[in-house]
C-alpha cells in the first residue's frame, strides 16, 4: 500500500525541530497577534526616538513684544514645528537642532518685525521713488544704525532714536538746525552715569551733520530726561545731581559698614549718611590799581609829548652892567610829574631873545583783574546715623543672651564713625551712634512634601513621556509577542517508546489518525506479546512498514 501513513495506538502530531518551522506551525491567530505586537513595539521605539531628538529645546528669540511673539508662534504652527514658552513668556524655545534653520526661515518671512534695519534699506531702492522717499529711507537707515550702536552698550536693553532733519534752503538765515531724541530702555538694575550719557549724546551729534550736542535729548524708560541742564522739582536738582548725591551718601555708608562690621558683626549694624551738597555756581571779577613801584628805570612810559617855542628880539642890554649879567644860562630841568614850567632865560646877553618849552609824559599804572569761580558740588554738611545691635554673650552652659553696649564702647564706635567720614565740626557735621536690640523675625520653614517640590515635579514631567512609552512597549511585548515566542522557542518533547509511530511514505501528505479501538483487550494482548517475544513483533512491524504483507495479500 503506497502513500499511506501507518499509526499504532494514539499517534502524536509531528512537531518541527527548527525555530522557523515551529514559528510557521503556529495558528493564524497567534501569527497575527505577534505581527501586530512587533509593529506596535516598533512604533513605540520610533516615538521614543523622536521625542528624545526633540527633547533638548533652546531659545529661538527672547524679549519679543507681544505682537512679534504672536506672529512668530503663528508661523511656527504653520511650519509644524514644536515650541515651548519659558517661564513668564520671555523667550520662545524650539528644538536645539532647528534653531539656526528656523531663524533663517523666519527672517525670510520678515519676522520678527521689530528687528532694527540699518543702511541695508538703501539696497532695496525702488525705481521711480521720489526725493522725499529717498530722504526718508536714508533717515530710517541712519536711525537704525545709531540704534544698533547704542544697544551694543551693556546697560542698554533697547533704544529708539528720532531724528528731525529739516530741509535745507538757499537762505542761510532761515535754515533750521537738526535735532535728535533718544529713548533708552535699560536692563533691570542698570543705570547710566554722566559720562555714558554724554557719550551717547556725542555719538548721535557726531553722526548727523551740523547737529549741536545741546539739541540731543536722552530719556530713559521711566520718562526721566537724562540730559536736562534745568532744575527739576526734586529738591531743585536734576537727575545727575541726585545721582551724585546718592553716590556720596552710599560711599560714606559703605565706609562706616566696612569699618564697624568686623567689630560688631555683619548683621548687627545699620548706617545711613545724609549729605548736604551745594551745587550753586558763582563768579566774581575784581580790578585793582596800584601806583608805580620801584625806581625810575622800572617805570614804563605810556606816552610823551614835548612842545618848544623860541623868539628873538633886538640886542637890548638889560640888567645891571657888571659881572652878574655876564654869567652863562642855567640848564633847564623837567619834573617827573610832568608839570610844565618855563625855562630860565639867560641873564642878559648880547641879543634879546625869549623861548618856551613844554614836556608832558604819561606813565603806566599797575592794574590787576581777578576772576573767581566757585566749585560746584561741595559738601556743606554731613549727618551720619548708626544703629548697633546688642552684644551676644554665651555663658558656660552654652546659653546665649543679648547684652547692651556700654557708654565707652558706644563712644569708641562714634569716634571711628567720625574719622571714617571726615568729621568737621566747623562745617556743622553731626554723628549719632545708638545701641538698640534688633528685632529678628523668625520665618517659619514649611516642609514641602517630596512630590510637591519643583525639582521633583520638573523631573516627573520630563520623565512622563519616556515612562509611558516604556510601559506601553512592555504591555505589547508581554501580551502579544511573548506567547508566540514561548511556543516557538520551546523544543518538542522526545517521543515515548511504543507510544506513537507515524511514518510518511513517498510524500508529505498527512492522514488522520486511526480511531481508538473500542476494546482494549487486543491492545493488552499486543503489549504482552511484545514483552514476551519482541523479535516476532519487530518482524511483523517491519513487514507492515516495507509493505511485504500487503504485496503477498495482493
Amino acid at each position: 500500500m503506497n502513500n499511506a501513513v501507518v499509526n499504532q495506538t494514539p499517534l502524536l502530531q509531528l512537531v518541527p525541530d527548527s525555530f522557523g518551522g515551529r514559528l510557521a506551525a503556529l495558528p493564524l491567530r497567534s501569527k497575527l497577534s505577534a505581527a501586530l505586537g512587533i509593529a506596535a513595539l516598533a512604533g513605540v521605539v520610533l516615538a521614543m526616538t523622536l521625542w528624545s531628538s526633540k527633547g533638548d529645546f533652546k531659545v529661538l528669540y527672547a524679549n519679543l513684544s507681544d505682537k512679534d511673539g504672536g506672529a512668530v508662534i503663528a508661523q511656527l504652527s504653520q511650519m509644524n514645528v514644536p515650541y515651548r514658552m519659558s517661564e513668564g513668556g520671555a523667550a520662545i524655545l524650539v528644538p536645539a537642532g532647528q534653531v539656526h534653520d528656523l531663524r533663517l526661515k523666519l527672517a525670510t518671512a520678515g519676522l520678527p518685525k521689530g528687528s532694527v534695519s540699518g543702511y541695508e534699506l538703501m539696497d532695496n531702492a525702488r525705481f521711480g521713488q521720489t526725493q522725499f522717499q529717498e530722504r526718508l529711507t536714508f533717515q530710517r537707515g541712519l536711525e537704525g544704525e545709531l540704534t544698533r550702536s547704542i544697544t551694543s552698550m551693556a546697560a542698554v536693553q533697547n533704544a529708539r532714536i528720532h531724528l528731525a532733519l529739516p530741509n535745507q534752503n538757499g537762505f542761510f538765515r532761515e535754515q533750521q538746525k537738526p535735532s535728535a531724541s533718544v529713548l533708552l530702555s535699560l536692563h533691570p538694575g542698570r543705570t547710566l552715569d554722566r559720562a555714558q550719557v554724554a557719550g551717547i549724546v556725542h555719538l548721535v551729534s557726531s553722526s548727523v551733520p551740523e547737529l549741536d550736542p545741546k539739541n540731543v535729548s536722552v530719556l530713559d524708560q521711566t520718562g526721566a530726561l537724562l540730559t536736562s541742564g534745568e532744575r527739576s522739582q526734586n529738591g531743585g536738582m536734576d537727575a545727575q545731581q541726585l545721582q551724585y548725591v546718592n553716590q556720596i551718601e552710599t560711599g560714606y555708608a559703605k565706609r562706616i559698614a566696612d569699618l564697624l562690621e568686623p567689630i560688631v558683626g555683619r548683621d548687627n549694624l545699620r548706617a545711613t549718611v545724609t549729605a548736604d551738597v551745594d551745587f550753586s555756581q558763582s563768579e566774581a571779577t575784581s580790578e585793582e590799581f596800584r601806583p608805580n613801584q620801584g625806581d625810575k628805570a622800572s617805570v614804563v612810559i605810556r606816552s610823551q609829548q614835548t612842545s618848544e617855542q623860541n623868539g628873538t628880539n633886538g640886542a637890548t642890554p638889560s640888567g645891571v652892567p657888571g659881572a652878574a649879567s655876564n654869567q652863562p644860562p642855567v640848564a633847564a630841568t623837567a619834573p617827573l610829574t610832568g608839570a610844565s614850567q618855563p625855562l630860565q632865560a639867560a641873564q642878559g646877553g648880547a641879543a634879546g631873545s625869549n623861548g618856551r618849552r613844554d614836556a608832558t609824559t604819561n606813565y603806566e599804572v599797575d592794574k590787576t583783574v581777578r576772576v573767581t569761580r566757585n566749585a560746584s558740588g561741595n559738601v556743606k554738611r554731613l549727618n551720619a546715623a548708626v544703629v548697633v545691635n546688642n552684644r551676644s554673650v554665651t555663658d558656660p552652659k552654652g546659653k546665649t543672651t543679648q547684652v547692651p553696649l556700654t557708654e565707652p564702647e558706644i563712644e569708641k564706635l562714634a569716634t571711628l564713625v567720625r574719622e571714617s567720614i571726615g568729621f568737621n565740626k566747623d562745617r556743622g557735621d553731626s554723628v549719632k551712634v545708638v545701641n538698640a536690640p534688633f528685632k529678628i523675625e523668625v520665618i517659619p520653614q514649611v516642609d514641602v512634601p517630596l512630590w510637591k517640590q519643583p525639582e521633583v515635579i520638573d523631573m516627573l514631567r520630563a520623565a512622563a513621556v519616556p515612562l509611558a512609552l516604556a510601559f506601553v512597549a512592555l504591555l505589547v511585548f508581554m501580551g502579544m509577542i511573548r506567547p508566540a515566542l514561548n511556543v516557538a522557542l520551546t523544543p518538542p518533547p522526545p517521543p515515548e517508546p511504543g507510544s506513537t509511530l507515524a511514518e510518511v511514505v513517498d510524500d508529505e501528505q498527512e492522514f488522520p489518525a486511526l480511531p481508538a479501538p473500542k476494546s482494549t483487550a487486543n491492545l493488552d494482548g499486543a503489549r504482552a506479546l511484545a514483552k514476551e517475544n519482541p523479535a516476532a513483533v519487530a518482524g511483523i512491524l517491519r513487514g507492515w512498514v516495507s509493505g511485504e504483507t500487503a504485496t503477498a495479500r495482493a
Side-chain angles (χ1 to χ4, degrees), residues 339-407:
S340 60
Q341 295 181 358
L343 300 177
Q344 295 181 1
Q347 298 296 326
S353 63
N354 56 10
R356 183 182 181 86
R357 182 179 182 184
D358 296 333
T360 302
T361 304
N362 295 324
Y363 298 92
E364 291 289 349
V365 181
D366 291 345
K367 177 182 177 182
T368 302
V369 179
R370 182 178 290 104
V371 179
T372 304
R373 294 184 178 89
N374 293 331
S376 177
N378 295 326
V379 179
K380 296 175 58 178
R381 185 175 58 186
L382 291 176
N383 297 326
V386 182
V387 180
V388 182
N389 191 15
N390 291 339
R391 185 175 63 252
S392 299
V393 178
T394 305
D395 56 7
K397 297 182 180 180
K399 184 179 180 180
T400 303
T401 57
Q402 300 291 332
V403 178
L405 300 179
T406 61
E407 289 296 332

Side-chain angles (χ1 to χ4, degrees), residues 197-527:
V197 175
I200 294 176
V201 171
H202 285 279
L203 173 65
V204 176
S205 62
S206 301
S207 303
V208 181
E210 298 183 2
L211 178 57
D212 192 353
K214 296 180 180 179
N215 296 332
V216 179
S217 301
V218 180
L219 293 82
D220 60 4
Q221 67 270 24
T222 61
L225 188 60
L226 304 180
T227 57
S228 174
E230 301 178 356
R231 305 293 181 182
S232 63
Q233 298 178 357
N234 297 324
M237 295 185 294
D238 56 14
Q240 296 179 354
Q241 293 176 353
L242 287 174
Q243 184 178 6
Y244 176 71
V245 174
N246 188 20
Q247 290 177 355
I248 293 177
E249 295 175 350
T250 304
Y252 282 123
K254 188 176 183 301
R255 290 184 185 180
I256 297 174
D258 294 342
L259 186 63
L260 299 186
E261 277 184 354
I263 302 175
V264 299
R266 182 178 181 82
D267 297 330
N268 296 324
L269 174 68
R270 298 292 185 272
T272 59
V273 178
T274 303
D276 185 5
V277 183
D278 184 14
F279 290 101
S280 61
Q281 298 180 356
S282 61
E283 180 177 347
T285 304
S286 63
E287 295 185 3
E288 297 179 358
F289 296 91
R290 294 183 300 173
N292 292 328
Q293 303 294 331
D295 53 1
K296 297 180 181 180
S298 62
V299 177
V300 180
I301 298 176
R302 182 174 61 183
S303 63
Q304 187 176 10
Q305 182 179 2
T306 303
S307 175
E308 183 175 356
Q309 296 179 357
N310 293 324
T312 303
N313 296 328
T316 303
S318 62
V320 180
S325 60
N326 294 329
Q327 297 293 328
V330 181
T333 59
L336 291 177
T337 58
S340 60
Q341 295 181 358
L343 300 177
Q344 295 181 1
Q347 298 296 326
S353 63
N354 56 10
R356 183 182 181 86
R357 182 179 182 184
D358 296 333
T360 302
T361 304
N362 295 324
Y363 298 92
E364 291 289 349
V365 181
D366 291 345
K367 177 182 177 182
T368 302
V369 179
R370 182 178 290 104
V371 179
T372 304
R373 294 184 178 89
N374 293 331
S376 177
N378 295 326
V379 179
K380 296 175 58 178
R381 185 175 58 186
L382 291 176
N383 297 326
V386 182
V387 180
V388 182
N389 191 15
N390 291 339
R391 185 175 63 252
S392 299
V393 178
T394 305
D395 56 7
K397 297 182 180 180
K399 184 179 180 180
T400 303
T401 57
Q402 300 291 332
V403 178
L405 300 179
T406 61
E407 289 296 332
E409 292 176 344
I410 296 177
E411 184 61 28
K412 290 180 181 179
L413 296 178
T415 303
L416 293 177
V417 174
R418 294 190 188 97
E419 294 297 329
S420 64
I421 66 173
F423 181 81
N424 189 354
K425 185 178 181 180
D426 298 335
R427 192 171 56 184
D429 297 348
S430 64
V431 174
K432 188 66 175 180
V433 179
V434 178
N435 174 222
F438 287 4
K439 183 179 180 181
I440 302 176
E441 296 181 359
V442 179
I443 301 176
Q445 295 182 357
V446 179
D447 295 335
V448 181
L450 182 63
W451 56 276
K452 287 186 178 181
Q453 294 182 1
E455 297 81 2
V456 178
I457 294 176
D458 294 340
M459 184 177 63
L460 292 177
R461 287 177 179 176
V465 175
L467 291 177
L469 294 176
F471 181 72
V472 172
L474 182 61
L475 291 179
V476 170
F477 179 79
M478 297 297 294
M480 304 176 69
I481 301 177
R482 186 174 175 231
L485 290 178
N486 290 337
V487 175
L489 294 176
T490 302
E496 297 180 0
S499 61
T500 303
L501 178 61
E503 183 69 21
V504 179
V505 180
D506 294 339
D507 55 14
E508 297 180 355
Q509 185 176 3
E510 184 177 356
F511 296 95
L514 296 176
K518 297 181 180 180
S519 176
T520 60
N522 297 332
L523 181 60
D524 295 337
R527 289 179 180 175

Side-chain angles (χ1 to χ4, degrees), residues 98-166:
Q98 304 180 17
V99 172
H100 301 289
D101 294 339
L102 290 176
R103 285 181 180 176
L104 294 177
K105 293 179 181 179
L106 292 175
T108 304
L111 296 176
K113 297 181 179 180
S115 60
V116 180
S117 300
Y119 284 137
E120 59 269 14
L121 294 174
M122 307 295 295
D123 299 336
N124 301 325
R126 296 175 298 174
F127 179 76
Q129 63 181 358
T130 62
Q131 185 179 3
F132 173 76
Q133 292 176 343
E134 292 180 355
R135 185 171 64 252
L136 184 60
T137 303
F138 172 76
Q139 180 176 344
R140 289 178 56 194
L142 181 57
E143 291 175 353
E145 294 294 335
L146 291 175
T147 301
R148 289 175 178 176
S149 301
I150 294 176
T151 52
S152 61
M153 301 177 63
V156 179
Q157 183 178 7
N158 193 8
R160 293 196 65 183
I161 299 178
H162 304 279
L163 298 178
L165 304 178

